[in-house]
Amino acid sequence: MPRVALFVPCYIDQFYPDVAWATLEVLERHGVRAKVPEMPTCCGQPMANTGCVNEARPLAEQFVEVLGRFDHVVCPSGSCTAMVRQHYEHLLHGRTDYVALRNKTWELTEYLLDVLRIDPPRSPFPYRVGLHQSCHGLRELRLGSSSETVGPRFSKAQKLLESMQGIQLVKLTRPDECCGFGGTFAVQEEAISCRMGLDRIHDHEQAGTEVLTANDMSCLMHLDGLLRRDRRPIRVLHIAQILAGRTPN
Amino acid sequence: MTESLPIIDHPAAAARFVDDGARTGWHDQALWFVRVKRDRQAHGLPEWEALREQAAAIKSHTISRLADYLEQFEREATRRGAVVHWARDAEQHNAIVLEILRRHGARKVAKSKSMLTEECHLNPFLQRHGIEVVDTDLGEWIVQLRNEPPSHIVLPAIHIKKEEVGELFHRVLGTEAGATDPKYLVEAARTRLREVFLAADAGITGVNFGVAESGGIVVCTNEGNADLGVSLGKLHIACMGIEKLIPRCGDLGVFLRLLGRSATGQPITSYSSHFHGPIRDGELHIVLLDNGRSEILASDDFRRALHCIRCGACMNTCPVYRRSGGHSYGATVPGPIGSILNPARDAEKYSTLPFACSLCASCSDVCPVGINLHEQLLIWRERIAARGILSGTKRLAMKFASHLLRRPALFAFAGALARWGLRHLPRFAFYHALNPWGRQRELPIPPRRSFRQEYRKRHERQPPRG
Amino acid sequence: MSASLPADKNARQSILERIRSRELPPRELPPLFDEGIRYADRWAQFQEVLSSVGGQFLSVADRDGVAATLAKLPVVESSRCRACTVPDLHFGNLDLNAVDDPRDLAGLDLAIFPGQFAVSENGAVWVTDESIRHRAALFIAQHLLLVVRQPDCVDNMHQAYQRLAFGERGYGLFISGPSKTADIEQSLVIGAHGPRSLTVVAVP
């Protein structure tokens, strides 16, 4: 049995513990008992994306040192996974233990489909679901085909969801536009960030979304913040929560 | 550097733009429409991704041997009767153009779209020296008449509503008051601009591609204004950045296929004109401009930005650009590519631009010549932080966060404090002017315990096996 | 004449030196691209794209019928001042060679010129000014009609450039549809500065 670590990102740890629990449950259902080490608490992305590499590097080092001891590292976030896989190289150039870690770090949906090779679940989820394609998972990890690129169409998240009983995946007019979270962008460019989020919400509203889901809770935190402010009825659930059998409300 | 002040405040300019919600939606939709047309064209070609790779490889190669290719281009262009000039910077460029015009006694110039001449601020320079310049691309003419810069490199007047064009034309051309029908307005412009073409002493164009092998230049337009501007008179001045070169005529097939489709979702522009030497009994002057390009070429991180063919696709797809308008970037080239090129010119002045981006990477996926735009934007953020021109609060916040996140116990304590506060403190403790998150958004509903707290508890009770 | 300006020599040298001062890793030039799309019926594709970009297409089956067919086209019938340089077609009443200043062409209603070949993928026709004394006629005419021989149609732009050589001085261009603009609120308007219509006629 491979030793599997679940990396729980900082904001999920503090604000969305159920996303981590749901991830553990889904993994366990497929025979994987993942451990959650005390450290690292964060992949370092907030600092790296602000250009503060010196502040990000210690976190990247911590990540490699602690999680490098496991055989597989799974993360319920495309964005944090992309940080590790695409951007650590720049922070840690040349560290051989990093190269090893990079090749064994997976985002949840790709771990389920490509490593565990599970059959998409048939459990019930009788809701109209709007899938938000979080950008880093889509365009950095290629968890799906982006609308800009030409080639076969696919989406790992959609593949996991579409065979659930009673689920209806809605059709958006802009299938993979950014929600406007963008880390520190959300506060630095607050006006644009919120406008982008509201535009995404309107697209989901016209499509009849009841439950808005994504591979990244950070996008959903931003969208949910906008939804709750206006008391709009759409509910958000991380894809792990849907797969684990959670329902809205 | 002459352009050190004022510092561009993109967030503030963007907030002002977004403030007009209806107009923002209209602007966003107009550009998204172009993106959709681009998608339709791209998805119609099974070889699209291979074309992009080919274009990127050709550009990388050309740039790796740029000096050789420039010499070859000069040789071949000269052999075919063109005169090639070299300009280190905008000042030299403008002086050369003025000198050529003066030698011909030219007073009136019909100019077609050229971002390079915008970059050099050629129009005001020539006007100061008594030369009348008319931008003949309709969009460029509209912004010229309004006395403002273009807001987009391909769609210069994309920020202007037809009602505003109607008012402008009523004032300038005497069209009917209140007329807003684009067909009617274009007809009025056509009539006036034909007079401009017929009266012009010289034509100035940009250059889309220069071919080293043949010394030829290619200029693409939809309106036919570049050709009209240079075919009625005898003098053609073509202004060209040194990065516009490609090695072979055969490579044009790749780039012309990508350009029109990426720019406006057309299979090709209406007119793609290939000039090899001057018009009969005329003169063709090609002004090659560096203006910082060789500096970008020397940088391993940003060299690929020189692949840019100025199609504007990164602007059309950028969710920030579409909602903040081109003028919010305060630069000739706005949007993602502009946020890379402008800091190279003046990092301090343009320090907010690389942050005017959610890092969605749509620009990198749409770019026809394989520029890793979002990665370069990230590198710029790093450079700006390293130069100490990151805003003080941001730097401090990141130092603090890094300190906290490295120490699990401290992080847990701070998190617990924050969650407790969110549950028990009055709303105004979190929702105030210093917390931009809460202006339009709720903060997350704080759980009683963090994941790790609960995890520890459960595992103390029932220690994990293995 | 066009003696070089005083600053030229220095600028040239310093730009080239600056570029050369940084030795860059070699990047290979890939062979010319030749995986372009192909079409079962090239003219059908051409026609479809041309009409999508605002142009009109007409194919004439027999050689003898060309003149008669063209004569009936509204754009020909309604034009008063015409220039034509297509051999064997006698629609012109204005001889371009007799005009010295292209500005005198401002009243040209219709220009009928030969196109060298058509490109299916984008509805473009390659035209040179070989037979046209004033290339301005291509743009200043109110309407443009291009005559292309039926065998002369290629699938894509890569094939197009295989047919082209730029050995000497010259001017040529791809024309795809009439002059147009979408600069006012992205509404497409045909007839910006140049011809208000483009008709492409394929002849035997």
Side-chain angles (χ1 to χ4, degrees), chain B residues 110-415:
Chain B
K111 187 164 144 280
S112 70
K113 193 156 62 197
S114 152
M115 281 306 119
L116 181 137
T117 59
E118 290 286 341
E119 169 188 328
C120 295
H121 305 290
L122 178 67
N123 285 9
F125 173 83
L126 291 180
Q127 276 152 3
R128 273 201 304 278
H129 289 86
I131 288 174
E132 194 185 310
V133 193
V134 178
D135 272 311
T136 57
D137 170 84
L138 180 62
E140 288 263 313
W141 192 51
I142 292 170
V143 296
Q144 188 186 29
L145 290 175
R146 284 166 58 105
N147 208 4
E148 63 182 13
S151 69
H152 186 291
I153 61 173
V154 173
L155 318 161
I158 190 73
H159 61 293
I160 302 168
K161 294 199 160 195
K162 61 185 179 201
E163 289 79 12
E164 294 162 319
V165 178
E167 273 167 46
L168 178 74
F169 281 13
H170 173 61
R171 217 172 55 234
V172 178
L173 303 177
T175 52
E176 279 172 53
T180 60
D181 176 27
K183 219 174 139 116
Y184 168 76
L185 296 172
V186 170
E187 188 61 34
R190 174 186 173 102
T191 309
R192 170 65 63 89
L193 286 168
R194 283 219 157 197
E195 293 164 12
V196 169
F197 287 122
L198 289 166
D201 306 308
I204 295 181
T205 69
V207 172
N208 290 97
F209 306 101
V211 185
E213 178 181 70
S214 68
I217 55 170
V218 177
V219 181
C220 305
T221 74
N222 279 318
E223 300 178 6
N225 58 313
D227 284 285
L228 263 175
V230 300
S231 63
L232 289 165
K234 296 290 181 205
L235 178 58
H236 176 184
I237 304 174
C239 304
M240 168 178 168
I242 55 173
E243 85 284 16
K244 293 281 177 187
L245 276 189
I246 55 173
R248 303 164 297 201
C249 300
D251 296 324
L252 284 169
V254 174
F255 289 96
L256 289 185
R257 296 185 84 193
L258 289 167
L259 178 62
R261 290 181 170 95
S262 298
T264 51
Q266 293 173 265
I268 188 171
T269 47
S270 301
Y271 303 102
S272 311
S273 306
H274 299 50
F275 299 87
H276 287 85
I279 199 164
R280 249 156 263 177
D281 311 318
E283 286 183 25
L284 168 62
H285 294 262
I286 302 170
V287 188
L288 291 170
L289 176 71
D290 181 347
N291 207 29
R293 287 162 176 78
S294 56
E295 239 167 278
I296 297 175
L297 180 135
S299 153
D300 290 337
D301 290 324
F302 301 119
R303 187 172 306 126
R304 265 158 83 182
L306 294 180
H307 290 193
C308 180
I309 56 172
R310 302 289 190 270
C311 71
C314 62
M315 291 158 209
N316 305 340
T317 204
C318 177
V320 178
Y321 174 91
R322 277 189 265 111
R323 291 172 182 83
S324 66
H327 289 157
S328 66
Y329 295 79
T332 304
V333 181
I337 186 67
S339 300
I340 292 166
L341 297 175
N342 295 304
R345 221 173 275 289
D346 186 337
E348 193 161 356
K349 178 176 178 182
Y350 296 108
S351 64
T352 61
L353 299 194
F355 295 91
C357 158
S358 62
L359 294 172
C360 77
S362 179
C363 49
S364 302
D365 271 7
V366 89
C367 177
V369 288
I371 305 173
N372 53 337
L373 288 139
H374 76 288
E375 290 170 5
Q376 294 197 18
L377 287 165
L378 195 52
I379 298 171
W380 260 119
R381 294 182 182 191
E382 201 181 309
R383 294 287 170 84
I384 285 162
R387 285 194 205 182
I389 44 182
L390 199 64
S391 80
T393 45
K394 212 186 291 179
R395 205 169 47 237
L396 221 67
M398 289 304 136
K399 270 206 180 343
F400 177 67
S402 172
H403 185 79
L404 203 67
L405 289 162
R406 260 179 273 169
R407 294 163 178 81
L410 199 59
F411 173 67
F413 175 71

Side-chain angles (χ1 to χ4, degrees), chain C:
Chain C
M1 264 296 292
S2 41
S4 58
L5 297 151
D8 279 10
K9 199 123 215 144
N10 293 332
R12 178 183 191 279
Q13 233 158 35
S14 79
I15 292 170
L16 290 173
E17 270 167 24
R18 203 158 181 180
I19 295 171
R20 289 206 166 98
S21 71
R22 179 67 203 266
E23 202 170 317
L24 302 181
R27 297 296 188 107
E28 216 175 308
L29 177 63
L32 287 174
F33 194 86
D34 63 356
E35 304 158 41
I37 195 164
R38 312 259 166 139
Y39 302 97
D41 184 339
R42 287 196 284 266
W43 281 111
Q45 170 70 19
F46 176 86
Q47 178 172 6
E48 190 188 319
V49 180
L50 182 62
S51 71
S52 79
V53 298
Q56 279 113 48
F57 178 74
L58 191 70
S59 184
V60 184
D62 73 303
R63 204 183 197 86
D64 301 330
V66 174
T69 312
L70 291 195
K72 276 185 283 188
L73 289 176
V75 71
V76 176
E77 272 189 323
S78 65
S79 57
R80 292 225 299 260
C81 178
R82 290 186 294 264
C84 174
T85 66
V86 180
D88 303 330
L89 288 183
H90 308 286
F91 287 100
N93 53 18
L94 174 88
D95 181 5
L96 289 181
N97 290 318
V99 175
D100 284 327
D101 187 342
R103 293 178 176 92
D104 295 338
L105 298 172
L108 187 62
D109 292 317
L110 173 68
I112 303 176
F113 294 138
Q116 314 293 307
F117 60 87
V119 187
S120 296
E121 71 155 304
N122 54 22
V125 175
W126 177 255
V127 182
T128 71
D129 66 350
E130 247 171 279
S131 75
I132 309 169
R133 179 174 174 200
H134 301 291
R135 63 177 77 145
L138 283 160
F139 309 99
I140 205 160
Q142 297 291 336
H143 301 274
L144 181 62
L145 194 153
L146 297 171
V147 179
V148 186
R149 292 188 327 119
Q150 273 150 5
D152 295 326
C153 185
V154 300
D155 292 288
N156 57 56
M157 290 296 279
H158 311 295
Q159 293 173 358
Y161 279 100
Q162 279 169 19
R163 292 183 57 140
L164 295 174
F166 300 98
E168 295 307 320
R169 281 184 193 209
Y171 169 83
L173 81 166
F174 289 104
I175 299 179
S176 171
S179 160
K180 51 178 137 344
T181 183
D183 274 345
I184 300 177
E185 284 203 11
Q186 280 298 295
S187 353
L188 182 69
V189 179
I190 304 280
H193 302 295
R196 300 171 188 275
S197 77
L198 170 73
T199 311
V200 177
V201 184
V203 301

Side-chain angles (χ1 to χ4, degrees), chain A residues 218-230:
Chain A
S218 48
C219 306
L220 295 176
M221 172 170 74
H222 161 69
L223 293 170
D224 189 45
L226 292 162
L227 287 165
R228 284 194 291 118
R229 172 62 59 91
D230 295 345

Side-chain angles (χ1 to χ4, degrees), chain A residues 18 22 29 121-131 157-158 160-170 208-214 220 234-249:
Chain A
D18 188 58
R29 194 178 303 157
R122 301 193 170 277
S123 43
F125 195 74
Y127 298 95
R128 290 179 62 83
V129 174
L131 175 59
Q158 188 182 325
L160 283 169
L161 293 173
E162 66 196 357
S163 49
M164 294 184 84
Q165 251 178 63
I167 198 167
Q168 270 181 285
L169 286 165
V170 305
T209 295
E210 292 170 321
V211 177
L212 210 169
T213 190
L220 295 176
I234 293 177
R235 294 286 164 262
V236 306
L237 282 177
H238 187 275
I239 189 166
Q241 293 175 296
I242 294 181
L243 296 174
R246 309 284 196 274
T247 52
N249 306 317

